[in-house]
Amino acid sequence: QVQLQESGPGLVKPSETLSLTCSVSGDSISSHNWNWIRQPAGKGLEWIGRIYNSGRSSNYNPSLNSRVTMSMDTSKNQFSLKMSSVTAADTAVYFCARGREYSRFDYWGQGTLVTVSS
Amino acid sequence: QSALTQPASVSGSPGQSITISCTGTSSEVGGYDHVSWYQQHPGKAPKLMIYDVSNRPSGVSNRFSGSKSGNTASLTISGLQAEDEADYYCNSYTTSTTVLFGGGTKLTVL
């Protein structure tokens, strides 16, 4: 059974960098692609980006591209998200998810709430 | 990139069928057969219900079906049950090799 678990600070100050890690069990992150998706309270889902090819390749949402970096640690079977210069608009539940080809996200973490506030 | 367009809400009575639409452009929905649908209950992670327009993952009820015509994809739920009440999201692969979600639809079972 594939399981994903997000971890990281629940509170980040404005202008600082948000950092989250997704730990994966039941599958190797060297296979498939691995995604971050977020959801502000009461709003819809927004795809942030994906990392794949053992961390050598990534694609990001154009609206966030300049602030987002994803990385992968295959030795720990984890992948990570860094988002710089955060504002209150970045307050959301952040999900990690396994991606199969194209737009199919078949396993999700439970989500972690990140609040941007001073 | 603007979100794919979904109705904000739909409703139906138990046993009825409902359809949720997901409208985009030829750059995503109309250009690829890579539309997926997700069900999300309050406080939970989304669950994959349909992928590649009309394929059901193992374990998903055959009451859920998907289709596409032009730039609009649709999710149909037949034989509505109380537990189907949830938010539903579509997404699509895009020409920019990114993924775009719809704004979401709240399904109410009357």
Side-chain angles (χ1 to χ4, degrees):
Chain A
Q1 176 75 346
V2 179
Q3 294 185 316
L4 295 87
Q5 178 68 58
E6 305 89 351
S7 61
L11 181 64
V12 182
K13 289 182 168 56
S15 80
E16 295 190 344
T17 296
L18 176 160
S19 296
L20 295 174
T21 295
C22 183
S23 299
V24 179
S25 60
D27 191 14
S28 168
I29 63 169
S30 296
S31 303
H32 309 300
N33 61 78
W34 302 90
N35 296 259
W36 288 98
I37 296 132
R38 69 180 182 179
Q39 184 173 38
K43 296 189 178 180
L45 300 168
E46 180 180 33
W47 181 76
I48 299 171
R50 69 163 77 86
I51 187 167
Y52 57 104
N53 197 16
S54 297
R56 289 188 291 270
S57 302
S58 58
N59 306 109
Y60 302 137
N61 185 323
S63 67
L64 302 170
N65 190 39
S66 62
R67 298 195 293 128
V68 170
T69 303
M70 293 183 185
S71 59
M72 190 180 273
D73 186 338
T74 54
S75 67
K76 294 182 179 179
N77 220 39
Q78 295 175 335
F79 64 104
S80 298
L81 167 70
K82 289 190 186 297
M83 182 180 295
S84 63
S85 305
V86 297
T87 69
D90 295 311
T91 294
V93 174
Y94 285 74
F95 295 99
C96 56
R98 186 178 83 168
R100 303 296 290 273
E101 54 287 333
Y102 305 109
S103 65
R104 173 179 162 195
F105 304 142
D106 57 355
Y107 287 97
W108 294 65
Q110 64 186 22
T112 187
L113 174 63
V114 178
T115 301
V116 178
S117 175
S118 55
Chain B
Q1 284 183 317
S2 298
L4 303 175
T5 300
Q6 297 182 233
S9 64
V10 298
S11 63
S13 300
Q16 288 186 332
S17 295
I18 63 94
T19 297
I20 300 171
S21 61
C22 171
T23 301
T25 70
S26 58
S27 295
E28 348 84 6
V29 175
Y32 303 92
D33 286 335
H34 299 307
V35 175
S36 298
W37 289 91
Y38 302 83
Q39 176 191 68
Q40 186 181 34
H41 287 109
K44 301 294 187 182
K47 174 186 176 184
L48 178 67
M49 305 303 284
I50 295 287
Y51 67 94
D52 289 350
V53 174
S54 60
N55 293 285
R56 266 189 318 276
S58 174
V60 172
S61 170
N62 60 9
R63 297 186 299 105
F64 292 82
S65 62
S67 62
K68 192 185 85 167
S69 177
N71 295 335
T72 298
S74 299
L75 172 71
T76 298
I77 309 174
S78 59
L80 266 181
Q81 299 179 0
E83 58 262 36
D84 298 333
E85 184 162 296
D87 293 327
Y88 290 85
Y89 294 90
C90 63
N91 76 0
S92 175
Y93 185 73
T94 81
T95 52
S96 304
T97 69
T98 60
V99 174
L100 189 60
F101 277 96
T105 299
K106 181 177 180 59
L107 169 62
T108 300
V109 180
L110 302 170

